[in-house]
Amino acid sequence: MTVLWYLLWFAVAVSLLVTVHEFGHFWVGRRLGLKVLRFSVGFGKPILSWRGRDGVEYWICPIPLGGYVKFLDEREGPVPTAELPRSFTRVHPLRRVLVLLAGPGFNFLFAVLVLAGMFWASGLTRWLPVVGDVNAGSIAARAGVRSGDRIVAINGVPVDSQSQVRMQLLEVMSGSGNARLTVRAGDAAPRQVDLDVRDPAQRRRLTGPSGPMGGLGMHFWEPSIPPVLGRVLPGGPAARAGLAAGDRIVAVDGRPMKDFQDVVAAISPNPGKTLAITYRRGGAERTVEVTTASVTVAGRRIGRIEAEEPLTMHYPPGMVRHVPLGPIAALGKASARIGTLTVLQVRLLWRMMLGRVSIKNLGGPLTIAQEAGQSASAGASSFLGFLVLISLEIGFLNLLPIPILDGGQVVFQLLEWVKGAPLSERAQIIGQQVGIALLILLMGVALFNDIARQFS
């Protein structure tokens, strides 16, 4: 059931985002006077097809790993003289560039609009970056970071949320490795602590999928959550064992549970294992055997019973800042967030090529499918957030100057514009071969990471 669930939401997510991408090519191409012959979502023989009133063939194909828009192109067959001005090869190269950029552009636009809608509906919530546990002997402990410290700046850059701290630490650890933290404990005066990671191999490990916080030996403070189950996902291990929302977990394999963090700590290290869970419901205690699901999160295999923590997590008033946003403010915040994430993607990719960032961050279809299924299980907001990130990644990936991608085709069109004539057929073939080779290499690394995560 879990695999089918992952595949279902993978297909939904990829098909939707491919449609957005290809619609960008389609819409802009038509506005610029090009003739569209076919709009296909997916690859393979169509399982559903029709011809619209506009004369375009619309295909839905069974392999949801891409799609394409087929323009009138005299390189693929004879074109009537009257239709030549609408052929892809006959329009000005800069028009072709606009058509090619429209696909990634619509992915970025989709990400901005969905994120803006989420901000408008729910406002902007920031959890202040207050340090909780600090591992003894860790980099953070040796530097002088203490539980209760609030991080207010990193290398002089102010930070006021946990997400900003994570991004800044990732930026630093993929670069110099020296993070000067400005921290404040309560009302005390701010002080400086230096997290200095000089070993390049260690810095690279800190840029892995799990992020730098745990590797540095510190964790954000979280309120104590009672060991009570929130929503129990249908068909999951907890539901099959008869557990329900509101059950209080008393013990796992005889070990008493004082809060929900204890429950997570008892279950996570046991993927695919059978645990004896004692729970209390209506004053009566029972014990059931639960075989945990085995899932991969941030490159690590963990156990889950597919039950959420209770919705009531009470942070102290000063720990959370919630700002309601109107539509204009939400759009501005979303645009700024997407811009920040895009710049971070560019930097991390470049540093990955230089060997400063772990290539374990590359994920393939298995990882995307798992994240799609898990985010869908967590609710609409989580799945929409997943779509935002994947749409952003699809847009960014397609802008890379690899000949088989949109970015590589843009380079070809610009060269043709400068040269005043199309590139030779041999040059285009060589470019396509190089592009295919680079994509195979990229996909091979991503697939290797996917498989390694399954067995790690």
Side-chain angles (χ1 to χ4, degrees):
M1 179 63 183
T2 301
V3 173
L4 293 177
W5 180 259
Y6 289 170
L7 290 176
L8 168 65
W9 288 104
F10 173 79
V12 169
V14 174
S15 298
L16 173 62
L17 297 179
V18 165
T19 301
V20 169
H21 182 95
E22 297 304 333
F23 182 74
H25 294 312
F26 172 84
W27 190 83
V28 172
R30 301 242 321 204
R31 294 303 178 277
L32 294 178
L34 279 74
K35 183 173 183 177
V36 179
L37 301 179
R38 183 182 302 144
F39 186 120
S40 176
V41 176
F43 294 127
K45 192 173 182 179
I47 55 176
L48 182 63
S49 64
W50 69 95
R51 184 178 295 275
R53 293 181 180 179
D54 52 7
V56 178
E57 284 185 317
Y58 294 92
W59 284 11
I60 297 178
C61 302
I63 306 175
L65 295 177
Y68 63 91
V69 173
K70 183 178 181 181
F71 292 102
L72 182 68
D73 192 329
E74 58 195 295
R75 294 171 298 184
E76 297 184 4
V79 174
T81 303
E83 297 279 14
L84 282 176
R86 302 180 67 190
S87 172
F88 186 82
T89 53
R90 292 298 180 101
V91 301
H92 193 279
L94 290 185
R95 287 194 175 191
R96 292 179 231 156
V97 167
L98 291 176
V99 173
L100 291 165
L101 291 177
F106 269 53
N107 281 124
F108 286 108
L109 180 62
F110 176 87
V112 170
L113 293 178
V114 171
L115 190 59
M118 294 172 67
F119 285 167
W120 185 17
S122 304
L124 189 60
T125 301
R126 294 176 177 173
W127 286 267
L128 297 187
V130 176
V131 178
D133 293 335
V134 179
N135 299 341
S138 65
I139 297 171
R142 293 196 302 270
V145 178
R146 297 192 289 266
S147 180
D149 284 342
R150 177 183 164 188
I151 303 171
V152 297
I154 299 176
N155 288 345
V157 178
V159 291
D160 64 357
S161 69
Q162 295 179 5
S163 62
Q164 286 182 334
V165 169
R166 291 190 183 98
M167 285 196 292
Q168 283 296 320
L169 286 177
L170 186 59
E171 168 77 15
V172 172
M173 292 305 153
S174 64
S176 66
N178 185 275
R180 170 159 288 186
L181 273 56
T182 303
V183 301
R184 176 185 286 126
D187 295 327
R191 69 182 197 280
Q192 308 288 334
V193 295
D194 287 318
L195 303 176
D196 191 8
V197 185
R198 300 185 181 183
D199 180 12
Q202 188 176 15
R203 291 203 302 269
R204 188 163 52 250
R205 286 194 295 271
L206 291 174
T207 64
S210 58
M213 284 289 292
L216 291 169
M218 57 182 177
H219 310 272
F220 290 123
W221 182 89
E222 292 183 349
S224 180
I225 307 170
V228 176
L229 299 184
R231 186 167 71 105
V232 175
L233 304 185
R240 291 196 301 269
L243 294 171
D247 288 345
R248 186 179 187 91
I249 306 302
V250 176
V252 176
D253 276 351
R255 173 184 160 193
M257 300 285 107
K258 69 177 185 298
D259 53 32
F260 201 86
Q261 287 90 332
D262 278 354
V263 178
V264 174
I267 294 171
S268 292
N270 295 292
K273 295 183 180 179
T274 300
L275 304 175
I277 295 183
T278 303
Y279 66 97
R280 182 180 298 122
R281 180 191 299 171
E285 285 191 7
R286 301 177 180 86
T287 299
V288 293
E289 290 190 342
V290 181
T291 301
T292 65
S294 180
V295 300
T296 301
V297 176
R300 189 167 61 93
R301 184 167 288 280
I302 64 172
R304 280 188 174 173
I305 61 171
E306 305 294 359
E308 299 174 357
E309 62 190 27
L311 295 177
T312 53
M313 181 185 289
H314 299 292
Y315 279 86
M319 280 285 296
V320 181
R321 292 178 179 171
H322 180 78
V323 181
L325 297 175
I328 303 301
L331 185 61
K333 290 290 185 183
S335 300
R337 178 74 60 86
I338 294 301
T340 299
L341 291 174
T342 301
V343 171
L344 184 62
Q345 277 187 315
V346 173
R347 289 178 178 170
L348 292 180
L349 178 63
W350 176 246
R351 290 173 182 177
M352 189 180 296
M353 294 171 63
L354 296 177
R356 297 179 186 174
V357 173
S358 173
I359 62 172
K360 292 181 180 180
N361 288 294
L362 291 175
L366 297 181
T367 297
I368 295 173
Q370 285 184 328
E371 291 177 355
Q374 290 166 11
S375 64
S377 297
S381 179
S382 178
F383 186 66
L384 288 174
F386 165 79
L387 287 179
V388 167
L389 293 177
I390 297 300
S391 188
L392 189 58
E393 291 180 3
I394 289 175
F396 175 71
L397 176 66
N398 274 277
L399 287 177
L400 296 179
I402 298 175
I404 201 171
L405 300 176
D406 293 329
Q409 293 301 313
V410 166
V411 173
F412 279 175
Q413 305 308 321
L414 292 176
L415 289 175
E416 177 178 332
W417 180 44
V418 172
K419 182 182 176 184
L423 297 178
S424 69
E425 185 176 346
R426 182 172 181 272
Q428 294 187 48
I429 290 174
I430 292 174
Q432 296 287 353
Q433 290 173 339
V434 170
I436 291 172
L438 288 173
L439 269 187
I440 290 175
L441 176 62
L442 190 65
M443 293 175 64
V445 172
L447 188 58
F448 174 82
N449 286 342
D450 279 355
I451 295 172
R453 289 180 183 124
Q454 300 304 311
F455 292 98
S456 60

